[in-house]
Amino acid sequence: SYELSLLCGAHASAGQVDEARRIRDELVERASRSYVPPLDLAVAHAAMNDRESALASLERALDERNALMWYRTHLPNFDALRNEPRWQAIADRLARVAPMRRGGTG
């Protein structure tokens, strides 16, 4: 599902909005019948500039502790969300649970 979300972003960036929307809708439909990591959905929603759905998916991903979230949120897929207050709250929560360096310091 992560690769599909990236493909959605590639199509959206190329101006192929209908194909990007089709892929995003496929991911959403897939999530209704089996598990799709919310982080992957967030990537697709962000690609479609659906801020509300992207932020809701990110919040759910954090609650579920989706793998590598602390890393993936630094990717450019989410640049447009970084000034949102909800993004800041997610980043603050994530900073408290991100992996620590050796020696126990953050």
Side-chain angles (χ1 to χ4, degrees):
S1 59
Y2 183 60
E3 289 79 8
L4 278 177
S5 68
L6 293 176
L7 183 61
C8 173
H11 282 291
S13 293
Q16 300 167 351
V17 179
D18 290 339
E19 184 61 14
R21 185 175 297 112
R22 185 194 67 72
I23 293 168
R24 192 261 324 257
D25 292 348
E26 177 184 333
L27 283 169
V28 169
E29 191 278 326
R30 211 182 263 192
S32 72
R33 55 185 162 77
S34 63
Y35 184 74
V36 173
L39 185 54
D40 298 349
L41 291 171
V43 170
H45 290 308
M48 298 303 299
N49 201 28
D50 183 350
R51 290 172 182 259
E52 176 60 33
S53 295
L55 289 165
S57 294
L58 284 167
E59 289 164 342
R60 192 168 138 223
L62 184 57
D63 289 341
E64 291 183 8
R65 296 180 158 207
N66 278 178
L68 299 178
M69 184 168 175
W70 55 270
Y71 163 74
R72 288 185 181 172
T73 55
H74 293 286
L75 297 174
N77 306 74
F78 300 114
D79 284 352
L81 302 175
R82 297 196 198 289
N83 291 327
E84 297 280 341
R86 285 171 68 191
W87 172 270
Q88 296 299 320
I90 291 166
D92 289 345
R93 281 182 58 202
L94 190 56
R96 291 191 297 268
V97 297
M100 297 178 73
R101 293 187 301 237
R102 287 182 199 215
T105 59

XYZ file of all heavy atoms in Angstrom:
834
model
N 0.819 -1.200 0.000
C 0.000 0.000 0.000
C 0.864 1.266 0.000
O 0.458 2.284 -0.546
C -0.970 -0.010 1.173
O -0.300 -0.095 2.402
N 2.056 1.177 0.593
C 2.925 2.357 0.598
C 3.337 2.734 -0.827
O 3.315 3.909 -1.197
C 4.155 2.106 1.476
C 5.068 3.309 1.591
C 4.606 4.502 2.123
C 6.384 3.240 1.167
C 5.435 5.612 2.232
C 7.220 4.343 1.279
C 6.739 5.519 1.812
O 7.565 6.605 1.909
N 3.665 1.726 -1.619
C 4.060 1.998 -3.005
C 2.899 2.606 -3.791
O 3.109 3.516 -4.598
C 4.564 0.724 -3.689
C 5.907 0.243 -3.177
C 5.830 -0.511 -1.853
O 4.707 -0.814 -1.371
O 6.894 -0.790 -1.283
N 1.681 2.141 -3.538
C 0.514 2.733 -4.209
C 0.327 4.183 -3.787
O -0.028 5.028 -4.606
C -0.750 1.934 -3.905
C -0.978 0.693 -4.740
C -2.235 -0.043 -4.270
C -1.099 1.028 -6.220
N 0.549 4.477 -2.522
C 0.398 5.862 -2.076
C 1.445 6.756 -2.734
O 1.148 7.897 -3.105
C 0.457 5.963 -0.551
O 1.737 5.652 -0.054
N 2.660 6.232 -2.903
C 3.690 7.001 -3.610
C 3.326 7.184 -5.082
O 3.564 8.254 -5.657
C 5.048 6.311 -3.484
C 5.653 6.270 -2.082
C 6.953 5.472 -2.095
C 5.877 7.662 -1.533
N 2.751 6.153 -5.686
C 2.312 6.250 -7.082
C 1.209 7.295 -7.218
O 1.195 8.074 -8.177
C 1.832 4.886 -7.578
C 1.398 4.804 -9.038
C 2.552 5.166 -9.977
C 0.874 3.400 -9.351
N 0.323 7.339 -6.242
C -0.720 8.369 -6.223
C -0.073 9.751 -6.239
O -0.469 10.623 -7.012
C -1.594 8.191 -4.978
S -2.801 9.503 -4.708
N 0.937 9.936 -5.407
C 1.638 11.214 -5.366
C 2.339 11.548 -6.658
O 2.347 12.701 -7.094
N 2.919 10.544 -7.307
C 3.600 10.777 -8.580
C 2.606 11.235 -9.647
O 2.879 12.180 -10.388
C 4.318 9.510 -9.033
N 1.452 10.569 -9.687
C 0.432 10.978 -10.669
C -0.093 12.380 -10.363
O -0.277 13.190 -11.284
C -0.721 9.969 -10.699
C -0.412 8.729 -11.461
N -0.249 8.707 -12.836
C -0.224 7.454 -11.056
C 0.015 7.483 -13.235
N 0.047 6.691 -12.170
N -0.315 12.670 -9.087
C -0.804 14.005 -8.716
C 0.215 15.071 -9.101
O -0.145 16.117 -9.658
C -1.111 14.054 -7.223
N 1.494 14.802 -8.844
C 2.551 15.768 -9.190
C 2.665 15.984 -10.688
O 3.029 17.063 -11.139
C 3.902 15.288 -8.648
O 3.898 15.318 -7.251
N 2.337 14.935 -11.453
C 2.411 15.023 -12.913
C 1.140 15.632 -13.515
O 1.017 15.720 -14.736
C 2.657 13.640 -13.511
N 0.204 16.027 -12.654
C -1.035 16.624 -13.147
C -2.065 15.602 -13.592
O -3.090 15.964 -14.156
N -1.808 14.336 -13.330
C -2.738 13.263 -13.707
C -3.675 12.998 -12.523
O -3.640 11.952 -11.882
C -1.956 12.016 -14.100
C -1.035 12.252 -15.273
C -0.029 11.131 -15.474
O 0.103 10.238 -14.649
N 0.672 11.187 -16.597
N -4.522 13.994 -12.269
C -5.357 13.998 -11.070
C -6.365 12.862 -11.069
O -6.615 12.249 -10.028
C -6.064 15.367 -10.916
C -6.958 15.391 -9.692
C -5.028 16.474 -10.846
N -6.943 12.551 -12.212
C -7.929 11.469 -12.254
C -7.299 10.137 -11.866
O -7.885 9.360 -11.104
C -8.572 11.352 -13.639
C -9.491 12.522 -13.959
O -9.953 13.197 -13.010
O -9.742 12.762 -15.154
N -6.103 9.855 -12.374
C -5.420 8.607 -12.033
C -5.000 8.615 -10.561
O -5.118 7.601 -9.866
C -4.207 8.388 -12.938
C -3.504 7.072 -12.700
C -4.352 5.833 -12.955
O -5.437 5.920 -13.572
O -3.927 4.743 -12.528
N -4.531 9.757 -10.074
C -4.166 9.864 -8.662
C -5.386 9.617 -7.782
O -5.304 8.887 -6.789
C -3.557 11.237 -8.374
N -6.513 10.210 -8.142
C -7.745 10.024 -7.366
C -8.191 8.568 -7.396
O -8.603 8.013 -6.381
C -8.857 10.920 -7.914
C -10.138 10.863 -7.086
C -11.196 11.845 -7.566
N -10.719 13.212 -7.423
C -10.428 14.025 -8.428
N -10.561 13.630 -9.687
N -10.013 15.257 -8.205
N -8.055 7.914 -8.543
C -8.430 6.509 -8.660
C -7.605 5.648 -7.708
O -8.133 4.782 -7.005
C -8.261 6.014 -10.103
C -8.752 4.575 -10.316
C -8.269 3.983 -11.627
N -6.824 3.775 -11.673
C -6.163 2.815 -10.996
N -6.813 2.001 -10.197
N -4.852 2.698 -11.111
N -6.303 5.914 -7.648
C -5.426 5.143 -6.774
C -5.752 5.415 -5.308
O -5.832 4.493 -4.488
C -3.947 5.454 -7.082
C -3.597 4.942 -8.480
C -3.027 4.844 -6.026
C -2.266 5.433 -9.007
N -5.949 6.686 -4.964
C -6.310 7.022 -3.590
C -7.619 6.341 -3.196
O -7.726 5.741 -2.121
C -6.428 8.539 -3.436
C -6.519 9.049 -1.999
C -7.897 9.393 -1.467
N -8.806 9.969 -2.398
C -9.107 11.259 -2.443
N -8.538 12.132 -1.640
N -10.014 11.683 -3.303
N -8.613 6.392 -4.093
C -9.895 5.754 -3.804
C -9.751 4.239 -3.666
O -10.434 3.620 -2.847
C -10.921 6.105 -4.886
C -11.313 7.574 -4.855
O -10.984 8.281 -3.876
O -11.946 8.020 -5.834
N -8.857 3.654 -4.446
C -8.590 2.219 -4.329
C -8.022 1.890 -2.948
O -8.415 0.901 -2.318
C -7.623 1.763 -5.413
C -7.245 0.294 -5.324
C -6.201 -0.114 -6.351
O -6.119 0.510 -7.430
O -5.468 -1.074 -6.062
N -7.104 2.715 -2.476
C -6.535 2.501 -1.139
C -7.593 2.634 -0.048
O -7.636 1.837 0.891
C -5.395 3.479 -0.879
C -4.072 3.162 -1.543
C -3.119 4.343 -1.416
C -3.459 1.910 -0.945
N -8.449 3.631 -0.168
C -9.512 3.841 0.812
C -10.473 2.651 0.804
O -10.872 2.146 1.868
C -10.261 5.169 0.545
C -11.525 5.278 1.377
C -9.334 6.353 0.794
N -10.807 2.170 -0.383
C -11.706 1.020 -0.498
C -11.045 -0.219 0.094
O -11.670 -0.996 0.816
C -12.078 0.795 -1.969
C -13.210 -0.201 -2.188
C -12.751 -1.645 -2.160
O -11.619 -1.921 -2.613
O -13.499 -2.506 -1.678
N -9.787 -0.399 -0.191
C -9.029 -1.533 0.348
C -9.027 -1.487 1.876
O -9.148 -2.517 2.536
C -7.594 -1.460 -0.181
C -6.937 -2.776 -0.365
C -5.516 -2.583 -0.833
N -5.397 -2.697 -2.271
C -4.237 -2.796 -2.902
N -3.105 -2.765 -2.227
N -4.199 -2.913 -4.197
N -8.899 -0.287 2.416
C -8.876 -0.126 3.866
C -10.215 -0.473 4.504
O -10.267 -0.804 5.693
C -8.479 1.303 4.226
N -11.284 -0.435 3.736
C -12.599 -0.777 4.287
C -12.773 -2.284 4.450
O -13.672 -2.724 5.164
C -13.713 -0.215 3.398
O -13.800 -0.943 2.185
N -11.914 -3.077 3.796
C -12.057 -4.527 3.886
C -10.835 -5.245 4.442
O -10.907 -6.409 4.809
C -12.462 -5.126 2.548
C -11.583 -4.819 1.387
C -12.172 -5.367 0.073
N -11.587 -4.739 -1.071
C -10.386 -5.017 -1.557
N -9.653 -5.949 -1.014
N -9.930 -4.388 -2.612
N -9.705 -4.555 4.516
C -8.505 -5.142 5.104
C -7.632 -4.004 5.641
O -7.892 -2.833 5.379
C -7.733 -5.992 4.084
O -7.280 -5.192 3.027
N -6.600 -4.384 6.356
C -5.773 -3.360 6.977
C -4.870 -2.664 5.971
O -4.142 -3.309 5.222
C -4.903 -3.968 8.091
C -4.118 -2.913 8.821
C -4.745 -2.060 9.707
C -2.764 -2.767 8.588
C -4.037 -1.078 10.374
C -2.033 -1.781 9.257
C -2.686 -0.945 10.140
O -1.977 0.038 10.783
N -4.953 -1.346 5.956
C -4.035 -0.486 5.217
C -3.480 0.482 6.255
O -4.256 1.161 6.938
C -4.733 0.282 4.080
C -3.804 1.292 3.439
C -5.287 -0.682 3.033
N -2.168 0.539 6.410
C -1.614 1.447 7.411
C -2.090 2.887 7.182
O -2.024 3.397 6.059
C -0.103 1.333 7.208
C 0.091 -0.013 6.589
C -1.123 -0.217 5.720
N -2.584 3.537 8.233
C -3.049 4.916 8.083
C -1.967 5.849 7.536
O -2.281 6.819 6.848
C -3.461 5.319 9.493
C -3.728 4.043 10.196
C -2.825 3.027 9.574
N -0.712 5.546 7.816
C 0.366 6.376 7.281
C 0.375 6.347 5.757
O 0.606 7.367 5.105
C 1.711 5.920 7.844
C 2.929 6.752 7.478
C 2.722 8.227 7.828
C 4.156 6.215 8.171
N 0.098 5.188 5.180
C 0.030 5.078 3.723
C -1.158 5.865 3.175
O -1.045 6.549 2.147
C -0.059 3.614 3.296
C 1.156 2.813 3.723
O 2.161 3.417 4.163
O 1.100 1.573 3.633
N -2.282 5.792 3.866
C -3.440 6.592 3.453
C -3.131 8.082 3.549
O -3.535 8.866 2.683
C -4.659 6.251 4.311
C -5.261 4.870 4.105
C -6.306 4.585 5.166
C -5.858 4.744 2.711
N -2.409 8.473 4.583
C -2.055 9.884 4.752
C -1.228 10.389 3.578
O -1.427 11.519 3.112
C -1.293 10.081 6.059
N -0.314 9.567 3.086
C 0.505 9.963 1.935
C -0.390 10.225 0.727
O -0.236 11.236 0.028
C 1.571 8.886 1.621
C 2.258 9.166 0.290
C 2.591 8.798 2.743
N -1.344 9.333 0.491
C -2.245 9.499 -0.658
C -3.146 10.715 -0.483
O -3.349 11.492 -1.428
C -3.077 8.232 -0.856
N -3.690 10.901 0.716
C -4.549 12.068 0.958
C -3.764 13.373 0.808
O -4.268 14.344 0.234
C -5.173 12.004 2.355
C -6.209 10.942 2.513
N -7.286 10.790 1.670
C -6.336 9.965 3.454
C -8.032 9.790 2.070
N -7.471 9.258 3.150
N -2.548 13.390 1.304
C -1.717 14.590 1.169
C -1.422 14.876 -0.298
O -1.423 16.038 -0.720
C -0.422 14.428 1.958
N -1.194 13.835 -1.077
C -0.930 14.012 -2.511
C -2.125 14.655 -3.211
O -1.958 15.420 -4.159
C -0.606 12.665 -3.160
N -3.323 14.355 -2.720
C -4.548 14.908 -3.310
C -4.945 16.232 -2.655
O -6.008 16.761 -2.912
C -5.688 13.893 -3.179
C -5.439 12.589 -3.910
S -5.129 12.809 -5.674
C -6.665 13.554 -6.197
N -4.071 16.744 -1.779
C -4.302 17.998 -1.064
C -5.558 17.942 -0.195
O -6.221 18.954 0.005
C -4.346 19.190 -2.022
C -4.063 20.488 -1.307
O -3.357 20.505 -0.305
N -4.635 21.575 -1.790
N -5.878 16.759 0.310
C -6.992 16.576 1.233
C -6.407 16.622 2.641
O -6.118 15.608 3.267
C -7.681 15.230 0.953
C -8.894 14.994 1.837
O -9.109 15.768 2.803
O -9.619 14.025 1.571
N -6.211 17.848 3.123
C -5.532 18.067 4.400
C -6.244 17.392 5.571
O -5.607 16.787 6.427
C -5.405 19.560 4.686
C -4.434 20.247 3.766
C -4.500 21.765 3.964
N -3.605 22.415 3.051
C -2.410 22.874 3.394
N -1.991 22.762 4.627
N -1.644 23.452 2.497
N -7.558 17.535 5.638
C -8.324 16.963 6.743
C -8.124 15.455 6.826
O -7.832 14.919 7.896
C -9.810 17.300 6.589
C -10.699 16.668 7.625
C -10.365 17.085 9.056
O -9.930 18.220 9.281
O -10.549 16.245 9.960
N -8.268 14.761 5.707
C -8.105 13.301 5.707
C -6.659 12.909 5.977
O -6.397 11.915 6.664
C -8.577 12.707 4.374
O -9.963 12.904 4.212
N -5.719 13.679 5.453
C -4.303 13.379 5.690
C -3.972 13.509 7.168
O -3.326 12.631 7.753
C -3.418 14.302 4.854
N -4.418 14.592 7.799
C -4.136 14.797 9.220
C -4.840 13.755 10.084
O -4.254 13.234 11.031
C -4.530 16.212 9.637
C -3.621 17.306 9.079
C -4.275 18.679 9.214
C -2.261 17.276 9.756
N -6.084 13.424 9.745
C -6.803 12.386 10.500
C -6.077 11.047 10.383
O -5.951 10.311 11.373
C -8.245 12.278 9.999
N -5.592 10.736 9.197
C -4.848 9.487 8.998
C -3.538 9.496 9.764
O -3.129 8.483 10.339
C -4.599 9.241 7.511
O -5.813 8.997 6.827
N -2.856 10.645 9.795
C -1.613 10.751 10.559
C -1.860 10.579 12.053
O -1.080 9.919 12.748
C -0.928 12.091 10.279
C -0.221 12.192 8.936
C 0.144 13.636 8.639
C 1.012 11.304 8.918
N -2.944 11.157 12.545
C -3.274 11.000 13.959
C -3.552 9.530 14.288
O -3.092 9.013 15.309
C -4.475 11.884 14.320
C -4.127 13.359 14.318
C -5.326 14.283 14.281
O -6.449 13.839 13.926
O -5.131 15.466 14.594
N -4.276 8.879 13.406
C -4.551 7.453 13.610
C -3.265 6.636 13.525
O -3.054 5.701 14.306
C -5.574 6.969 12.583
C -6.102 5.596 12.918
C -7.320 5.245 12.083
N -7.151 3.867 11.675
C -7.390 3.385 10.496
N -7.846 4.164 9.540
N -7.209 2.119 10.226
N -2.399 6.974 12.576
C -1.121 6.268 12.434
C -0.290 6.399 13.705
O 0.339 5.433 14.151
C -0.348 6.807 11.231
N -0.296 7.568 14.293
C 0.447 7.773 15.536
C -0.158 6.947 16.666
O 0.561 6.292 17.422
C 0.476 9.257 15.895
C 1.290 9.637 17.118
C 2.736 9.179 16.989
C 1.227 11.134 17.330
N -1.481 6.955 16.763
C -2.149 6.156 17.789
C -1.841 4.667 17.628
O -1.681 3.951 18.611
C -3.658 6.367 17.759
C -4.079 7.745 18.247
O -3.274 8.412 18.932
O -5.214 8.161 17.933
N -1.748 4.214 16.375
C -1.469 2.801 16.092
C 0.021 2.480 16.094
O 0.397 1.328 15.939
C -2.047 2.405 14.734
C -3.549 2.366 14.696
C -4.079 1.904 13.355
O -3.285 1.460 12.494
O -5.303 1.977 13.166
N 0.841 3.527 16.210
C 2.298 3.367 16.182
C 2.772 2.698 14.888
O 3.523 1.730 14.917
C 2.781 2.590 17.396
C 2.515 3.325 18.674
C 2.987 2.564 19.861
N 3.167 3.536 20.931
C 4.002 3.382 21.916
N 4.729 2.319 22.008
N 4.105 4.297 22.841
N 2.297 3.236 13.761
C 2.719 2.716 12.464
C 4.238 2.728 12.341
O 4.896 3.695 12.727
C 2.123 3.527 11.325
C 0.701 3.148 10.972
O 0.119 3.761 10.109
N 0.119 2.151 11.604
N 4.751 1.664 11.783
C 6.202 1.499 11.645
C 6.824 2.645 10.864
O 6.282 3.100 9.865
C 6.507 0.176 10.962
N 7.946 3.088 11.336
C 8.763 4.128 10.706
C 8.074 5.480 10.572
O 8.506 6.321 9.797
C 9.283 3.655 9.344
C 10.170 2.413 9.384
C 10.574 2.023 7.964
C 11.394 2.631 10.232
N 7.025 5.710 11.318
C 6.340 7.000 11.211
C 7.292 8.143 11.529
O 7.259 9.175 10.874
C 5.127 7.047 12.127
C 4.355 8.337 11.954
S 2.772 8.278 12.748
C 2.233 9.955 12.467
N 8.122 7.980 12.543
C 9.058 9.031 12.933
C 9.977 9.403 11.782
O 10.444 10.526 11.703
C 9.862 8.604 14.154
C 10.581 7.304 13.965
C 10.106 6.051 14.246
C 11.881 7.105 13.422
N 11.030 5.094 13.898
C 12.139 5.711 13.404
C 12.875 7.977 12.958
C 13.329 5.174 12.935
C 14.060 7.431 12.492
C 14.277 6.046 12.483
N 10.226 8.482 10.879
C 11.068 8.759 9.709
C 10.242 9.311 8.550
O 10.582 10.326 7.955
C 11.791 7.476 9.275
C 12.349 7.545 7.878
C 13.476 8.307 7.603
C 11.729 6.877 6.830
C 13.981 8.389 6.315
C 12.230 6.962 5.542
C 13.352 7.713 5.299
O 13.840 7.805 4.024
N 9.157 8.648 8.233
C 8.378 9.018 7.042
C 7.756 10.405 7.129
O 7.540 11.048 6.114
C 7.298 7.980 6.777
C 7.860 6.682 6.257
C 6.761 5.737 5.905
N 7.277 4.479 5.424
C 6.522 3.435 5.200
N 5.222 3.483 5.411
N 7.057 2.320 4.759
N 7.481 10.871 8.338
C 6.879 12.206 8.443
C 7.859 13.304 8.049
O 7.451 14.439 7.841
C 6.343 12.468 9.863
O 7.385 12.256 10.806
C 5.148 11.584 10.168
N 9.134 12.978 7.924
C 10.126 13.964 7.495
C 10.274 14.012 5.975
O 11.013 14.851 5.460
C 11.481 13.678 8.142
C 11.459 13.885 9.616
N 11.441 15.134 10.191
C 11.407 13.003 10.629
C 11.393 15.003 11.495
N 11.376 13.723 11.797
N 9.583 13.143 5.276
C 9.650 13.138 3.821
C 8.849 14.307 3.256
O 7.921 14.813 3.898
C 9.116 11.804 3.277
C 9.917 10.566 3.698
C 9.212 9.297 3.218
C 11.338 10.624 3.164
N 9.169 14.739 2.048
C 8.486 15.906 1.471
C 6.995 15.699 1.193
O 6.291 16.673 0.940
C 9.250 16.181 0.170
C 10.136 15.032 -0.059
C 10.252 14.265 1.211
N 6.506 14.469 1.291
C 5.086 14.204 1.051
C 4.189 15.061 1.940
O 3.050 15.341 1.577
C 4.752 12.729 1.325
C 5.618 11.779 0.562
O 6.777 11.614 0.906
N 5.094 11.173 -0.473
N 4.693 15.441 3.100
C 3.881 16.156 4.071
C 4.262 17.620 4.235
O 3.795 18.286 5.160
C 3.943 15.435 5.425
C 3.442 14.028 5.359
C 4.310 12.972 5.573
C 2.116 13.751 5.073
C 3.863 11.662 5.509
C 1.654 12.446 5.001
C 2.525 11.399 5.224
N 5.088 18.154 3.355
C 5.529 19.546 3.471
C 4.373 20.528 3.578
O 4.435 21.486 4.354
C 6.428 19.935 2.290
C 7.832 19.379 2.402
O 8.175 18.819 3.473
O 8.583 19.481 1.416
N 3.302 20.310 2.825
C 2.175 21.254 2.817
C 1.416 21.273 4.142
O 0.645 22.205 4.389
C 1.222 20.912 1.677
N 1.638 20.273 4.986
C 0.902 20.189 6.255
C 1.664 20.776 7.440
O 1.104 20.958 8.512
C 0.583 18.723 6.573
C -0.229 17.956 5.544
C -0.351 16.493 5.966
C -1.599 18.578 5.354
N 2.926 21.070 7.264
C 3.792 21.392 8.402
C 3.382 22.641 9.192
O 3.728 22.754 10.361
C 5.236 21.512 7.943
C 5.735 20.182 7.405
C 7.221 20.113 7.293
N 7.654 19.051 6.410
C 7.569 17.750 6.667
N 7.061 17.343 7.791
N 7.991 16.855 5.804
N 2.642 23.550 8.615
C 2.211 24.746 9.339
C 0.863 24.578 10.021
O 0.401 25.487 10.705
C 2.161 25.953 8.395
C 3.552 26.371 7.970
O 4.506 26.256 8.734
N 3.681 26.842 6.749
N 0.239 23.426 9.843
C -1.062 23.164 10.459
C -0.884 22.897 11.959
O 0.020 22.160 12.344
C -1.718 21.929 9.815
C -2.029 22.071 8.347
C -3.299 22.855 8.109
O -4.122 22.977 9.038
O -3.461 23.337 6.981
N -1.736 23.461 12.805
C -1.644 23.188 14.244
C -1.744 21.694 14.578
O -1.054 21.208 15.471
C -2.821 23.969 14.842
C -3.085 25.054 13.857
C -2.742 24.472 12.504
N -2.579 20.970 13.855
C -2.701 19.526 14.110
C -1.396 18.811 13.771
O -1.025 17.849 14.431
C -3.866 18.936 13.316
C -5.202 19.309 13.925
C -6.361 18.921 13.054
N -6.524 17.474 12.944
C -7.337 16.906 12.058
N -8.034 17.643 11.216
N -7.438 15.592 12.006
N -0.699 19.286 12.723
C 0.601 18.702 12.389
C 1.575 18.929 13.544
O 2.310 18.030 13.934
C 1.163 19.312 11.103
C 2.571 18.876 10.858
C 3.717 19.478 11.280
C 2.991 17.690 10.191
N 4.812 18.750 10.904
C 4.393 17.642 10.224
C 2.303 16.650 9.557
C 5.124 16.618 9.666
C 3.031 15.626 8.985
C 4.432 15.619 9.046
N 1.575 20.145 14.069
C 2.462 20.468 15.177
C 2.187 19.568 16.379
O 3.118 19.108 17.045
C 2.326 21.944 15.564
C 2.762 22.907 14.478
C 4.226 22.744 14.096
O 5.072 22.534 14.960
N 4.523 22.823 12.821
N 0.911 19.305 16.656
C 0.552 18.422 17.770
C 1.044 16.997 17.509
O 1.539 16.325 18.422
C -0.961 18.443 17.983
N 0.919 16.540 16.272
C 1.415 15.212 15.905
C 2.933 15.164 16.088
O 3.470 14.229 16.670
C 1.024 14.864 14.449
C -0.486 14.659 14.345
C 1.790 13.631 13.958
C -1.008 14.643 12.912
N 3.618 16.194 15.609
C 5.080 16.241 15.713
C 5.518 16.252 17.180
O 6.482 15.583 17.547
C 5.616 17.464 14.980
N 4.794 16.994 18.017
C 5.127 17.033 19.446
C 4.948 15.669 20.094
O 5.802 15.221 20.850
C 4.264 18.071 20.173
C 4.637 19.500 19.817
O 5.725 19.722 19.238
O 3.819 20.399 20.107
N 3.838 15.009 19.795
C 3.602 13.667 20.349
C 4.650 12.679 19.834
O 5.152 11.852 20.586
C 2.217 13.164 19.972
C 1.111 13.741 20.801
C -0.244 13.185 20.441
N -0.303 11.734 20.576
C -1.187 10.970 19.938
N -2.073 11.510 19.119
N -1.190 9.666 20.117
N 4.963 12.782 18.559
C 5.925 11.867 17.952
C 7.312 12.061 18.550
O 8.039 11.086 18.768
C 5.953 12.081 16.439
C 6.719 11.081 15.606
C 6.222 9.664 15.849
C 6.584 11.436 14.131
N 7.671 13.286 18.845
C 8.990 13.563 19.418
C 9.166 12.878 20.774
O 10.276 12.514 21.147
C 9.185 15.069 19.567
N 8.072 12.676 21.469
C 8.155 12.017 22.776
C 8.330 10.511 22.667
O 8.727 9.874 23.642
C 6.899 12.337 23.597
C 6.844 13.795 24.021
C 5.750 14.020 25.057
N 4.412 13.738 24.561
C 3.603 14.636 24.005
N 4.007 15.872 23.852
N 2.400 14.307 23.614
N 8.023 9.917 21.504
C 8.113 8.456 21.373
C 9.131 8.017 20.336
O 9.316 6.824 20.106
C 6.735 7.833 21.034
C 5.756 8.069 22.158
C 6.204 8.326 19.708
N 9.807 8.962 19.689
C 10.786 8.605 18.638
C 11.953 7.855 19.267
O 12.255 8.023 20.454
C 11.284 9.872 17.941
N 12.628 7.040 18.458
C 13.785 6.297 18.985
C 14.828 7.238 19.568
O 15.017 8.344 19.081
C 14.335 5.598 17.750
C 13.215 5.574 16.793
C 12.387 6.787 17.079
N 15.467 6.773 20.594
C 16.480 7.585 21.257
C 17.857 7.151 20.823
O 18.069 6.002 20.444
C 16.335 7.451 22.775
C 14.995 7.974 23.267
S 14.790 7.758 25.030
C 15.888 9.008 25.636
N 18.810 8.065 20.904
C 20.212 7.738 20.595
C 20.800 6.898 21.713
O 20.296 6.861 22.827
C 21.022 9.024 20.429
C 20.616 9.817 19.214
C 21.573 10.958 19.031
N 21.598 11.821 20.200
C 21.343 13.105 20.197
N 21.080 13.697 19.074
N 21.391 13.821 21.289
N 21.915 6.282 21.409
C 22.628 5.508 22.448
C 22.961 6.416 23.617
O 23.248 7.573 23.450
C 23.916 4.932 21.870
C 23.667 3.810 20.930
C 24.976 3.278 20.442
N 24.712 2.539 19.228
C 25.366 1.455 18.904
N 26.330 1.009 19.648
N 25.060 0.819 17.797
N 22.926 5.844 24.762
C 23.225 6.606 25.969
C 21.976 7.174 26.607
O 22.029 7.780 27.654
N 20.806 6.997 25.945
C 19.547 7.395 26.547
C 19.170 8.849 26.395
O 18.240 9.303 26.998
N 19.884 9.617 25.557
C 19.516 11.015 25.360
C 18.735 11.152 24.068
O 18.918 10.406 23.133
C 20.758 11.921 25.310
O 21.598 11.497 24.254
C 21.481 11.888 26.641
N 17.839 12.117 24.009
C 16.963 12.297 22.867
C 17.557 12.890 21.669
O 18.614 13.226 21.430
